[in-house]
Amino acid sequence: MLKVAVLISGGGTNLQSLIDAAAAPAAPFEIHQVISNKPDAQGLKRAERAGIRTRVVDHKQFDGRQPFEDALHEAISPDVELVCLAGFMRLLTDHFVNQWLDRLINIHPSLLPSFKGLDTHQRAIDAGVRFAGATIHFVRPAMDDGPIIIQAAVPIHQGDSAETLAGRVLAEEHRIYPLAVRLIALGRVRVIGAVVEIDGAETPAGALINPPG
Ligand code: GRF
């Protein structure tokens, strides 16, 4: 049973999808604790409702990144085997990342390596690309970088706004984050240099074409 810590900063809808997946029968992982850098993060209430222990490590209480990251590291229970960033809005330096190398994953709302950074949906619309999506990846010191575990692609519709596209992507985030944690919990995920190999990975049939006509 893989013990997971989830780090949040906000609403926690990705946290909720992990809580729900961990509650399923025979789930191979449990949410051991939830930590937020924001005391008022709504995601903390989601954890409390699920009876999951929570901590707040408020980055504003620390003078600099390293003291904050040391406090964050201290707050993570020694039983935890995987740390999931889920809407966690603080950049983590190599100091923290190297302490959790290949045991620290993140979700980013774009098809990495395209559209690293913020405002990914508006940028994708402005660029005229036909697909957007989300990526779960192992964290590396460089922002939104690291070996990719799983991605979901969704078509961009003519007339999409950043909000309509965000909603479509978020629904897929909630599907792929639990799947990524499950694959890791089952020991089927290996990092080989800059890429991830997944034992027994199925492959989707066919290709998506947008627009189809
Ligand atoms: C999501 O779009 C996620 O991709 C990004 O933060 C947004 C909010 O996530 N990392 P959540 O609802 O707080 O899980």
Side-chain angles (χ1 to χ4, degrees), residues 55-66:
R55 291 282 299 270
V56 171
V57 181
D58 184 348
H59 60 283
K60 294 197 179 80
Q61 304 294 319
F62 297 90
D63 180 18
R65 288 186 185 278
Q66 182 145 337

Side-chain angles (χ1 to χ4, degrees), residues 8-16 43 46 85-89 106-110 120-121 134-135 166 169-170 173-174 177:
I8 62 169
S9 300
T13 66
N14 277 288
L15 164 65
Q16 190 64 57
R46 296 176 185 275
L85 305 179
F88 187 71
M89 300 312 275
N106 181 48
I107 184 160
H108 180 74
S110 82
T120 60
H121 304 307
T135 302
V169 171
L170 196 58
E173 293 179 27
H174 298 160
Y177 216 151

Side-chain angles (χ1 to χ4, degrees), residues 83-104:
V83 177
C84 296
L85 305 179
F88 187 71
M89 300 312 275
R90 301 294 299 168
L91 267 186
L92 294 167
T93 70
D94 52 353
H95 176 65
F96 184 91
V97 171
N98 290 331
Q99 287 175 295
W100 289 93
L101 202 66
D102 295 343
R103 298 186 297 154
L104 175 63

